[in-house]
Amino acid sequence: MNEIVVTALKKPYTFVVLSILILVFGIRGVFTTPTDVFPSIKIPVVAVVWNYTGLMPEDMSGRMIYYYERALTATVNNIEHIESQSYYGRGIVKIFFQPGTDTSVAQTQITSVSQTVIKQMPTGATPPLVLAYNASSVPVITLQVSSTSMTASQIYDMSSNLIRPALVSVAGAAIPNPYGGMPGNVMVDLDPVKLLAHRLSPVDVSKALNSQNIVLPAGDQRIGALDWMVQTNASPRDMNDLNMLPIKQVGNAVVRLQDVAWVHQGGPPQTNLVLVKGQQGVLIVVMKSGDASTLDVVAGVKKLLPGIVNTLPQGVSIKVLNDASTFVKDSVEDVLREMLTAACLTGLVVLLFLGSWRSTVIIATSIPLAMLCSVIGLGWAGQTINVMTLGGLALAVGILVDDATVMIENIDTHLEMEKDLETAIIDAANQIVIPTFVSTLCICIVWMPLFQLTGVAGCSCRWPKPSSSP
C-alpha cells in the first residue's frame, strides 16, 4: 500500500492518465458488455422432440421413446440421467449431461444416433428435432399480430412466412413458431359411407394421391436453336383439379376424389387461441439465444418493425405486448442512481464537516471510477451486466463510501497535526490500510460459501470455465 501511495505522489500525471483510461474504457464497457436479466447459465441439457401424427401416447412411449433411450445410453457419453414424456403424436426426451460437458459435441452424437435408430421406429417415422437447451434463452419481447380483414389462417401464414423470417436476422434472436391462428393446409376429409359404397379404403385414396400428386425432374430438350425446359408437374394447382383426381375405374366409370371425400382449405385442430378484440390473432415470441444481450435483441427487433409493417397488407397491426428490456434498463438506472447519490451525499458530508472542496472532488470522482473498474473487470471475465452483478455493484457502493470517507478524514486529521501534504497522505494511508483491508476481507468471507454451491445456483457464482468434450 505504501509503495502505491508513494508512486502516485511522485508520478501524479501517470495516475491522471490512468483515470482517464478507466473513464473511457469503463463507459465503453457499459455499452459493449452484454446486458441481461440473468447471468449466462450453462446447463448441459439437450432436448429431442419426436413427432408422429396420430400415434397414441402408449405407442409413442413403447415403440419409439423406449428404443431411442436404449440407443442413447449405448452411444452417447457423459449422460447423467434421461427424462422423457410421451404425448399424443409427440415424444420429448431430455438428456442431462455431467457438469462441464460440451453440449455442441453431445448434440452431434445425439443427432447421429437419432438418424440410425429410425429403422427401429414404426413405418413413416421422421428424424427428430434436436435442441440444445439453454436456461439463458428466455423471452425478451412478445409481438401481437392482428388484422381486421384477414382470417386466422392468413394471419398465421403471414406471420410464419413474412414477419418471422425478417425478425430472425436480428443478431441473437431465436423465434419459435407463432402462437395462435391456424396453419393453412389442404384437408381431405374422407366419407366412410361413400368409401364403403365404392369398395375403397383410406389406403387406396392415399396411394392415388401419392402416385398422382408428384413433381419429377425431366431435364431439357434441345430443338433447333432453342433449349426447352421440360416440365412434368403433376401436382394439382387448385381445389377443382384435386377433386378430379381419379381413384378407381370400374368399367367405363371413374371414381374421383370428390366422390368419396371433401377437399377444402383448412388445418389441424387448434390447440391454442389468441383473441384481439374478439378476433383471432397471432403472438410472436422473440427469445434471446445464449450470450446475446437482451437490450441489443429488443432494440434490433424494434428497429425492424416499422420496415416490416410497411411490407404487410393494409389493416395489419403489430403491437409490442411484453418488453424485458424495460426491467433491465430500470435495474441499470437504479444502480447508476445509487452510485451518483452515494457520491453526491458523501461529497456533501465531506464538504460540510471538513470544509475542503478538494476532498469533495476526490470523493465524487473515486466512487464512479471504482465502479467503472468493476464494469471493465466484468467484461474481461466474460460476465454480463445482469441483476446479480448489478446487485453486487450496489453493495460495493457502501464499501466504497466507507473507505473513501475514512481515508479523506484521516488525511485531514494528519494535516491538522501540521504535517506537509505528502507526509500526511502517506501516514494516513499506512495507518488505515490494515483496518480497511480486514473489514473488506470480513465482508468478502461472508460470500465465500457461495462458490461451493453446485448445480444451477453454482453456475451463477463462478467464472466461465473451458468446457470439456463428452
Side-chain angles (χ1 to χ4, degrees):
M1 180 67 180
N2 184 67
E3 289 76 10
I4 296 176
V5 175
V6 172
T7 304
L9 292 174
K10 290 182 177 180
K11 298 180 180 180
Y13 294 109
T14 302
F15 282 82
V16 170
V17 173
L18 181 60
S19 300
I20 295 175
L21 290 176
I22 292 175
L23 181 64
V24 172
F25 285 98
I27 295 176
R28 179 179 177 272
V30 171
F31 291 99
T32 58
T33 303
T35 306
D36 201 356
V37 181
F38 301 107
S40 180
I41 303 174
K42 304 294 183 180
I43 301 179
V45 181
V46 176
V48 181
V49 182
W50 289 89
N51 289 292
Y52 198 111
T53 305
L55 195 64
M56 293 291 114
E58 296 82 4
D59 294 327
M60 177 64 71
S61 175
R63 297 179 180 272
M64 295 187 69
I65 303 301
Y66 171 73
Y67 294 105
Y68 183 62
E69 289 180 345
R70 290 181 61 184
L72 288 175
T73 56
T75 57
V76 181
N77 302 327
N78 277 0
I79 295 179
E80 183 184 32
H81 71 280
I82 299 176
E83 297 179 2
S84 62
Q85 294 85 30
S86 299
Y87 305 97
Y88 175 71
R90 181 169 299 173
I92 301 175
V93 181
K94 294 181 181 178
I95 304 99
F96 293 79
F97 293 90
Q98 300 291 341
T101 301
D102 188 352
T103 54
S104 60
V105 178
Q107 190 174 5
T108 303
Q109 290 185 341
I110 292 173
T111 302
S112 60
V113 71
S114 300
Q115 302 295 326
T116 59
V117 79
I118 293 180
K119 293 184 178 180
Q120 303 179 29
M121 303 293 180
T123 304
T126 57
L129 180 64
V130 181
L131 302 172
Y133 177 74
N134 193 331
S136 300
S137 298
V138 296
V140 294
I141 186 171
T142 304
L143 304 177
Q144 169 192 292
V145 183
S146 59
S147 174
T148 56
S149 58
M150 300 176 68
T151 63
S153 179
Q154 291 173 334
I155 297 175
Y156 183 90
D157 290 341
M158 178 186 63
S159 302
S160 300
N161 301 324
L162 296 179
I163 302 176
R164 183 174 176 270
L167 295 177
V168 169
S169 62
V170 177
I175 307 176
N177 292 326
Y179 295 94
M182 182 173 61
N185 296 328
V186 177
M187 306 297 294
V188 179
D189 295 341
L190 299 177
D191 189 330
V193 177
K194 293 181 180 179
L195 286 174
L196 184 62
H198 290 89
R199 298 179 181 273
L200 292 172
S201 67
V203 176
D204 298 325
V205 178
S206 177
K207 289 181 178 180
L209 288 173
N210 293 332
S211 61
Q212 300 181 68
N213 183 26
I214 57 175
V215 177
L216 295 176
D220 60 328
Q221 177 66 47
R222 187 175 182 84
I223 302 177
L226 300 178
D227 192 358
W228 300 90
M229 300 297 172
V230 181
Q231 183 180 13
T232 57
N233 186 351
S235 179
R237 296 182 180 274
D238 54 35
M239 292 296 176
N240 186 49
D241 294 340
L242 194 60
N243 275 308
M244 297 303 294
L245 283 179
I247 305 298
K248 177 183 178 182
Q249 183 175 359
V250 181
N252 294 327
V254 178
V255 180
R256 302 186 181 275
L257 185 60
Q258 64 180 2
D259 298 329
V260 295
W262 175 42
V263 182
H264 62 96
Q265 287 279 359
Q270 282 189 257
T271 57
N272 49 63
L273 185 66
V274 177
L275 293 178
V276 181
K277 296 182 179 180
Q279 294 183 343
Q280 287 202 45
V282 166
L283 289 183
I284 299 179
V285 178
V286 181
M287 306 176 67
K288 80 169 194 67
S289 59
D291 298 330
S293 173
T294 298
L295 299 183
D296 293 341
V297 174
V298 174
V301 171
K302 290 184 176 180
K303 183 179 179 180
L304 289 179
L305 284 182
I308 295 175
V309 173
N310 292 335
T311 63
L312 301 179
Q314 294 292 332
V316 177
S317 64
I318 302 179
K319 180 181 178 182
V320 177
L321 293 184
N322 298 321
D323 185 356
S325 65
T326 303
F327 175 75
V328 179
K329 291 178 180 177
D330 291 341
S331 300
V332 175
E333 291 176 357
D334 289 342
V335 174
L336 293 177
R337 188 183 303 110
E338 182 176 350
M339 182 177 64
L340 294 176
T341 302
C344 294
L345 291 178
T346 307
L348 182 61
V349 169
V350 172
L351 183 62
L352 291 177
F353 289 93
L354 300 182
S356 173
W357 65 268
R358 174 181 288 183
S359 301
T360 303
V361 173
I362 293 173
I363 289 291
T365 56
S366 62
I367 294 178
L369 287 176
M371 300 295 287
L372 291 177
C373 283
S374 300
V375 175
I376 296 173
L378 287 175
W380 288 349
Q383 297 293 316
T384 63
I385 299 177
N386 52 71
V387 176
M388 297 186 68
T389 53
L390 290 176
L393 291 177
L395 293 175
V397 171
I399 303 174
L400 292 174
V401 170
D402 293 341
D403 293 345
T405 304
V406 171
M407 184 65 186
I408 291 296
E409 190 276 334
N410 200 32
I411 293 175
D412 187 74
T413 300
H414 283 269
L415 288 175
E416 292 181 356
M417 298 178 183
E418 298 182 353
K419 295 181 180 180
D420 60 278
L421 181 59
E422 182 175 339
T423 305
I425 293 174
I426 295 175
D427 293 344
N430 292 332
Q431 193 173 32
I432 70 167
V433 59
I434 295 180
T436 304
F437 175 76
V438 172
S439 63
T440 306
L441 184 62
C442 291
I443 297 175
C444 295
I445 291 175
V446 175
W447 304 103
M448 289 302 294
L450 293 178
F451 291 92
Q452 302 300 319
L453 294 176
T454 59
V456 178
C459 294
S460 304
C461 301
R462 299 185 180 92
W463 301 117
K465 297 180 179 179
S467 55
S468 58
S469 302

